[in-house]
Amino acid sequence: MIEPALLPGHVCFWPEPDETGPGGGWCYDGTGYAEAPCEWWDKLDGVQRNRPTDCQPG
């Protein structure tokens, strides 16, 4: 089985450095908008392929 982090076109987020942490990573495949699972809400709430027009630098 291929791990999602190794699949081309995926962006993966991990709770701890060096791609580690409880529960593993959460991967986005680059298609449309995706809500992050509950355990990621304190880090990010969703990702989107296109930059929204009202997006400002953090």
Side-chain angles (χ1 to χ4, degrees):
M1 180 175 127
I2 298 175
E3 294 293 324
L6 302 177
L7 294 175
H10 283 71
V11 175
C12 295
F13 301 90
W14 296 86
E16 301 293 333
D18 300 320
E19 298 180 356
T20 63
W26 176 72
C27 295
Y28 170 64
D29 66 6
T31 55
Y33 177 83
E35 290 284 339
C38 293
E39 66 264 22
W40 289 93
W41 285 355
D42 64 340
K43 296 171 179 49
L44 57 101
D45 62 359
V47 292
Q48 182 172 320
R49 169 174 236 152
N50 300 318
R51 181 184 292 200
T53 58
D54 62 347
C55 184
Q56 299 293 320

